[in-house]
Amino acid sequence: MSELFDAVDALVASRSPLPPAEERKRLRVAHGLTLDEVAAALKVRRATVSGWESVKKPTEPRGPEREAYARLLEKLAELYPASSVTEGPAAPAVPATFSGTPAPAEARTLSTGEASEAAAMAAPENTQTPAPVAVAPAAAPRPARTTRTSSTSCRPGAKKAAPAGSPAGGADPRFANGPLAVVDVEDGQVLAYCTGGLVLEVPAKSLPSLVEWTLKEAKLGQPKLSGPGKDADPLLVLTEAALERYGLPVTLTDEEKHAGRIPEGHKVVKQLVRAEWKLTKRGFGPWARIYRPATGSERACVQLCIPSWNALDSRHWGEAGQLPPAELARVLGVYASRVMTPRGSTAVTGLELMTALHPPTRASEPDADGKRNSEHNPGSLGKDAIDPMTWPPCEVPDGHPVLKDLPRFHVRGPGEKLFEEAYDWARPMTDAECTLRHLVGIDVNMAFAAGANGLNVGLGEATHVKAPAFDPKLPGSWLVDLSHVDLSRVKVGKEWVELDGSLLPSPFTPKGERPEGPAWYATPTVAYAQELGYEVRPIEAWVRYENGRYLDGWYQRLRDAYLATMADLGVDADLSPADFLAAMDGYKDRDLELAIVVSAIKATVKGGLGKLRERPRGEGWRPGEPWRALSRPTWRPDIRAAVISRTRINLHRKIVKHASFTGQYPVAILSDCVVYASNGPSPLDFLPYREGKPLPGGFKLGVNPGLVKWEGTQDVLWGEEVRERFNAPELNLARYIKDGTVTDVDNGE
């Protein structure tokens, strides 16, 4: 009989009327679902779902998709009836293609039945469709006291719905309340603000009991990102009120700031010791980890984040540390669901993300006794750091142990040191450029992430070879003379073109100067010299025969996080150039909290790559001695150099392509920002678009990593006046193009 009833339901659904397109979109947005998620659940294309919601010319679903879509809309209508929608102030004018973020909604706790229905709608029966990123929950005001349930029902031991910021349909019951909570005190009651607006009452009266409660009742954490990996530990963010409640200082003294921790003799640290909890070597600082040794596969570890101790650096997290608890939970929750649960600074998290996606070990196949052992996970960097004394001398920074026998004040030149860094180059403007009206800056989106995409990097130790034949597919460092490469005549594709080489920076040095002799370069730099049509003959090299595309998963995770968050802010990947520029105008003001997430994602890219060559950080270090970072398998300056090399080369390739087609040359370059002189103030005034299509291989406007956005525009007269005022004819105007404010000038350096 059940089959007959199912067939009848299908017939009814296949003929039942669907709500108007506006209502379909309202229901989807109200539940925080993206077009991609609905498309994945219904096994159709994103454009198909977009067509169903099109106001101008909506399409209608057919067949089994209509049945499933009708059921989805029916369930969403029960959760979000039309009468509950309240009108807000008029939104600012944006392009027609802009799809704004959901309107703010009151935080609430879903019932168990609602949670199961929401999960069922998000994924078809017996089908697992993992979403690359989670949906950002709508901005929610601090929940009023009336929104809390009773103490009994609010305790985490009771069943709760997965937070709105979690991937629908894939919620892990162990972490039903999300990856983290912001702990605050209100009217004498300790509250834990979770993602999705859920608020838990916390019975713990001391820090050790708070840790116990988190592990046993709170249902906080995040599933592992890779099969051999480990689940993320729950994260507790302690507000100033929570610090006072649990006996911790609201701020650190100057001595504690310098040490990065509170003293081991502090009463709270003693409480933890008495309760048999341990702290990592970093001690009790802004990002403290409290744990007990693992028993088998079970981990007992909680991480603390303390914003008032500067855990959330304002350079990367903006004003996140000053947000109310519910808003801070939303910011960190979106970041956690799309990137990973923060493990420290954005730099630390960027590095930890690499390891989480490529764990160093995995379980082996069962042996004769059926026992599994730990073995190296192919494609990872391994669990053991490379012996510092086996590092190629050209790849390590000054002060490394392998250089301890160098004279004390010896300065290594290009023939001794690999120096792959981002551009910092500028030149005087030509007479023709001075007749133009504007200086327009364009900036490459997520440039270093794009440089990591598809890059082959070394995974093991380097092998020293003499007079090798250059192999562009072999990661390594090459000593080669590239001074013969003449930018006045280069290959672009398969054709030789004539350019004004004096107006172009050299692709081989960060300052854009032409090399004067042999120097060390990463593989992408030498490969580009070949691409330009010139022969290369390395003198020697350190190459890595064990290699792979280690950073691909890392790039994809961060790319998806960035694109999803930008889409929530109204900047979609499929906008036309003009609509993209319009959508980018003031995008941060549409949702200040999601704008913080975008900033943190960008910082995670740059910081994670920077951590690959972490330098000594005090601790009484002296040149020639090892420092703590050298003990990590992820201390890999060669990988950092390769990514920076490829990023710089990618930019130069676009500049050459643009120059060969338009005759326009950059005036200044700073890292991923390029400045051109133009008659108009917009990038569209000098980028060669034809019928909406960009120059192949050149600059293209868009939000995707590797594409460009508008950075800023100033008058040509402004540039000349600034250079004259500071007596710096080659002052790098790209550094100040955004707002025109010039500071810290020292002869253009």
Side-chain angles (χ1 to χ4, degrees):
M1 289 295 291
S2 61
E3 293 181 359
L4 291 176
F5 287 150
D6 290 342
V8 170
D9 290 343
L11 282 174
V12 173
S14 66
R15 299 293 189 274
S16 59
L18 297 177
E22 299 94 326
E23 178 66 1
R24 301 173 194 177
K25 182 175 182 178
R26 184 193 72 79
L27 292 171
R28 174 180 62 78
V29 170
H31 199 62
L33 297 174
T34 65
L35 291 171
D36 290 323
E37 286 184 311
V38 176
L42 301 179
K43 297 183 179 180
V44 296
R45 295 185 301 114
R46 182 182 187 275
T48 301
V49 180
S50 180
W52 296 343
E53 296 181 357
S54 174
V55 177
K56 293 184 178 180
K57 196 175 181 179
T59 57
E60 293 297 318
R62 299 179 180 178
E65 291 82 8
R66 181 185 179 91
E67 175 187 354
Y69 190 49
R71 178 174 175 80
L72 171 65
L73 296 175
E74 178 187 354
K75 296 298 181 182
L76 290 177
E78 293 175 1
L79 294 174
Y80 311 99
S83 59
S84 66
V85 180
T86 59
E87 294 184 0
V94 291
T97 51
F98 167 66
S99 56
T101 54
E106 288 293 332
R108 68 192 191 92
T109 303
L110 296 178
S111 67
T112 306
E114 289 175 327
S116 62
E117 286 185 348
M121 287 187 294
E125 188 177 358
N126 299 326
T127 302
Q128 291 183 346
T129 310
V133 293
V135 181
R142 186 184 180 100
R145 190 167 183 83
T146 55
T147 64
R148 288 183 228 125
T149 56
S150 66
S151 176
T152 304
S153 62
C154 199
R155 292 189 185 278
K159 294 182 179 180
K160 298 291 180 183
S166 299
D172 190 318
R174 298 173 301 161
F175 313 126
N177 294 329
L180 55 89
V182 179
V183 180
D184 191 30
V185 180
E186 182 180 334
D187 298 332
Q189 173 64 54
V190 181
L191 303 173
Y193 290 80
C194 306
T195 56
L198 179 65
V199 183
L200 307 176
E201 293 186 4
V202 182
K205 300 187 181 302
S206 67
L207 192 64
S209 61
L210 176 64
V211 174
E212 293 277 5
W213 172 84
T214 302
L215 292 171
K216 293 181 179 179
E217 298 184 57
K219 292 190 176 181
L220 296 174
Q222 190 176 37
K224 57 189 177 182
L225 297 179
S226 176
K230 299 176 181 177
D231 297 329
D233 299 318
L235 173 65
L236 296 181
V237 185
L238 303 183
T239 66
E240 294 183 7
L243 292 174
E244 292 179 344
R245 168 60 65 93
Y246 292 116
L248 291 164
V250 172
T251 58
L252 299 179
T253 65
D254 290 341
E255 183 179 351
E256 291 168 344
K257 289 178 182 177
H258 181 73
R261 66 185 75 185
I262 59 177
E264 294 183 3
H266 193 280
K267 63 178 182 180
V268 174
V269 177
K270 291 181 178 179
Q271 288 177 2
L272 292 170
V273 172
R274 285 196 297 270
E276 299 182 343
W277 289 105
K278 297 180 179 293
L279 293 166
T280 58
K281 291 182 179 180
R282 75 172 74 173
F284 203 124
W287 290 92
R289 299 186 70 79
I290 303 172
Y291 74 99
R292 285 180 180 141
T295 55
S297 61
E298 293 296 323
R299 289 167 57 84
C301 182
V302 172
Q303 179 161 306
L304 303 183
C305 167
I306 306 177
S308 65
W309 295 5
N310 199 34
L312 301 175
D313 192 326
S314 59
R315 293 172 298 174
H316 310 139
W317 289 101
E319 301 300 319
Q322 283 72 53
L323 290 175
E327 284 84 341
L328 180 55
R330 179 184 182 235
V331 168
L332 295 177
V334 172
Y335 179 89
S337 62
R338 292 181 172 176
V339 180
M340 69 179 301
T341 302
R343 298 287 302 274
S345 66
T346 50
V348 169
T349 304
L351 197 67
E352 290 288 341
L353 180 61
M354 297 180 194
T355 303
L357 294 169
H358 284 286
T361 60
R362 68 178 184 183
S364 68
E365 293 296 325
D367 57 19
D369 298 327
K371 184 179 179 181
R372 295 179 183 270
N373 301 296
S374 177
E375 66 178 12
H376 172 65
N377 183 27
S380 73
L381 295 180
K383 65 178 182 178
D384 299 318
I386 295 175
D387 183 350
M389 300 311 294
T390 65
W391 270 102
C394 63
E395 292 182 348
V396 299
D398 295 338
H400 189 277
V402 81
L403 304 175
K404 64 180 181 180
D405 294 330
L406 285 179
R408 183 176 180 184
F409 297 107
H410 177 73
V411 178
R412 294 185 293 161
E416 300 172 277
K417 180 180 180 180
L418 177 68
F419 192 64
E420 295 283 11
E421 297 296 338
Y423 267 130
D424 186 354
W425 169 87
R427 62 169 176 81
M429 282 186 278
T430 65
D431 292 342
E433 288 168 339
C434 288
T435 65
L436 302 176
R437 298 180 58 188
H438 302 283
L439 293 172
V440 184
I442 54 176
D443 182 80
V444 181
N445 296 315
M446 300 270 284
F448 293 101
N453 182 32
L455 179 64
N456 204 33
V457 300
L459 300 178
E461 295 190 22
T463 301
H464 188 230
V465 291
K466 290 282 189 179
F470 176 67
D471 182 353
K473 296 181 180 179
L474 188 59
S477 301
W478 310 78
L479 180 62
V480 58
D481 189 350
L482 299 180
S483 60
H484 63 290
V485 178
D486 183 6
L487 295 180
S488 298
R489 187 172 184 272
V490 297
K491 266 190 174 182
V492 178
K494 296 182 179 180
E495 297 182 359
W496 287 92
V497 298
E498 304 289 336
L499 300 172
D500 189 342
S502 65
L503 301 181
L504 286 171
S506 167
F508 310 126
T509 62
K511 290 292 183 181
E513 302 164 344
R514 187 167 179 168
E516 297 180 351
W520 286 98
Y521 304 101
T523 298
T525 302
V526 185
Y528 186 57
Q530 272 191 341
E531 181 184 326
L532 292 176
Y534 291 87
E535 184 181 14
V536 295
R537 293 183 179 179
I539 301 168
E540 61 177 299
W542 291 87
V543 296
R544 289 173 170 82
Y545 295 108
E546 182 187 356
N547 52 69
R549 292 166 56 158
Y550 174 74
L551 294 173
D552 274 11
W554 182 80
Y555 160 77
Q556 291 161 9
R557 180 83 178 173
L558 290 165
R559 174 204 62 195
D560 291 348
Y562 174 72
L563 291 180
T565 311
M566 290 299 291
D568 287 338
L569 287 166
V571 186
D572 292 317
D574 54 358
L575 294 175
S576 68
D579 282 349
F580 168 70
L581 291 175
M584 287 293 293
D585 185 17
Y587 76 94
K588 294 181 180 179
D589 297 331
R590 294 176 196 141
D591 190 321
L592 298 179
E593 293 162 20
L594 289 184
I596 292 174
V597 177
V598 170
S599 173
I601 292 170
K602 292 180 179 179
T604 303
V605 173
K606 290 187 177 181
L609 293 172
K611 276 282 185 180
L612 292 170
R613 199 192 67 160
E614 185 176 353
R615 303 297 300 275
R617 303 176 65 184
E619 301 175 350
W621 175 82
R622 293 181 179 181
E625 297 177 349
W627 59 92
R628 183 186 299 181
L630 299 186
S631 63
R632 295 194 319 248
T634 49
W635 193 82
R636 295 299 302 269
D638 58 307
I639 295 180
R640 173 188 176 273
V643 173
I644 294 176
S645 164
R646 190 156 184 253
T647 302
R648 193 182 67 248
I649 294 306
N650 284 346
L651 183 59
H652 195 275
R653 184 183 291 111
K654 288 181 171 63
I655 290 170
V656 167
K657 185 73 173 181
H658 184 85
S660 67
F661 188 80
T662 67
Q664 298 169 337
Y665 296 84
V667 172
I669 310 173
L670 182 67
S671 187
D672 46 12
C673 176
V674 188
V675 176
Y676 282 90
S678 168
N679 262 328
S682 167
L684 289 174
D685 292 318
F686 71 91
L687 293 183
Y689 273 85
R690 288 185 177 178
E691 297 179 356
K693 295 183 179 180
L695 173 68
F699 295 107
K700 178 183 178 181
L701 290 165
V703 72
N704 279 291
L707 305 189
V708 298
K709 65 179 183 296
W710 176 65
E711 180 68 6
T713 298
Q714 303 297 329
D715 294 337
V716 166
L717 291 178
W718 163 85
E720 288 298 279
E721 187 274 331
V722 165
R723 285 177 165 178
E724 183 178 345
R725 185 187 352 144
F726 292 100
N727 192 26
E730 295 186 2
L731 176 71
N732 194 334
L733 299 175
R735 191 183 307 275
Y736 315 107
I737 195 70
K738 189 161 191 171
D739 59 10
T741 303
V742 183
T743 57
D744 301 327
V745 174
D746 183 14
N747 294 325
E749 294 297 325

